[in-house]
């Protein structure tokens, strides 16, 4: 508990159960992550906590946003986020939602199937598309399983198809699973993504974005690796 939260509890005596969130801690965490990964841009996964004060704090700090739904996109826009700083990161979207997001100015979309690419080509012409690669989630306390992502071969084929459908092949995304305890997972996933970058470069397509997802563990006192070790390992 932070002193600020303690003081709030004493002063306001809110009914319980209640969830209190110290925005100073959020600011500290954002700044620490930015310093630890200086060459990266930070996209906040809105699903973690979509409340307006959290989004507002992050927008003011210059954070970008990864939204899983149109409702999350609306929440980001309502705190003044630039639509150019919002990625529609869910790989399974309704075509109407894609069109609505596009209408609001969102231009970056993640996908992992030919069906999704088809919807994007119709509802978001010219948009930047990012292929989500399936990677091994072993070592994660909350593995995302085989729910999202395609093979490296499919990612290559789909990004090539995207170009011929009038979309911009933009990059690769992966997620090693939440609360990942095995530092090797990022190395392996980044290596797999690098092969796709190389393969596509040989075919005349220059990808510019690698979305390394989440998975950096929160310390719950169960021998999680330090955040600094994870961010160091990602960059070597
Ligand atoms: C949830 C999510 C994240 C963040 O994952 P954590 O394990 O909570 O850090 C990142 N990217 C996407 C696409 C997500 O859905």
């Amino acid at each position: 508990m932070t002193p600020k939260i303690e003081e709030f509890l004493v002063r306001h005596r809110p009914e319980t159960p209640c969830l209190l969130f110290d925005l100073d801690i959020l600011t500290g965490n954002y700044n620490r992550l930015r310093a630890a990964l200086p060459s990266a841009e930070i996209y906040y996964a809105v699903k973690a906590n979509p409340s307006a004060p959290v989004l507002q704090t992050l927008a003011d700090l210059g954070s970008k946003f990864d939204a899983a739904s149109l409702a999350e996109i609306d929440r980001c826009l309502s705190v003044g986020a630039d639509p150019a700083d919002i990625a529609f990161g869910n790989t399974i979207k309704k075509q109407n939602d894609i069109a609505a997001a596009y209408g609001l100015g969102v231009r970056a979309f993640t996908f992992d199937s030919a069906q999704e690419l088809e919807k994007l080509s119709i509802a978001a012409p010219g948009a930047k598309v990012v292929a989500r690669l399936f990677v091994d989630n072993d070592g994660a306390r909350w593995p995302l399983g085989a729910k999202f992502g395609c093979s490296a071969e499919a990612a290559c084929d789909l990004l090539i198809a995207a170009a011929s459908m009038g979309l911009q092949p933009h990059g690769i995304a992966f997620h090693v699973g939440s609360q990942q305890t095995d530092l090797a997972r990022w190395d392996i996933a980044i290596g797999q993504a690098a092969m796709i970058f190389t393969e596509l470069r040989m075919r005349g397509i220059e990808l510019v974005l690698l979305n390394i997802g989440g998975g950096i563990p929160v310390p719950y006192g169960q021998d999680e690796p330090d955040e600094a070790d994870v961010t160091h390992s990602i960059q070597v």
Side-chain angles (χ1 to χ4, degrees), residues 45 47-48 66 89-90 132 144 174-175 177-179 211 213-216:
K47 69 169 191 280
D66 191 291
N90 193 332
R132 177 137 169 197
L144 302 165
F174 64 75
H175 198 302
S178 288
Q179 290 293 111
N211 173 347
I216 298 175

Side-chain angles (χ1 to χ4, degrees), residues 139-151:
R141 298 257 160 77
W142 295 101
L144 302 165
K147 212 161 64 154
F148 299 110
C150 58
S151 68

Side-chain angles (χ1 to χ4, degrees), residues 88-162:
F88 202 161
N90 193 332
T91 56
I92 303 157
K93 301 173 281 300
K94 291 181 193 154
Q95 190 167 312
N96 282 343
D97 287 355
I98 296 170
Y102 188 78
L104 291 168
V106 174
R107 289 292 178 273
F109 298 83
T110 308
F111 74 99
D112 61 8
S113 70
Q115 292 82 348
E116 193 73 11
L117 204 53
E118 180 76 27
K119 286 185 260 176
L120 288 166
S121 72
I122 297 165
K128 298 171 184 166
V129 291
V130 176
R132 177 137 169 197
L133 177 67
F134 171 76
V135 298
D136 201 330
N137 278 200
D138 275 10
R141 298 257 160 77
W142 295 101
L144 302 165
K147 212 161 64 154
F148 299 110
C150 58
S151 68
E153 196 186 353
C156 278
D157 291 346
L158 290 168
L159 286 165
I160 290 166

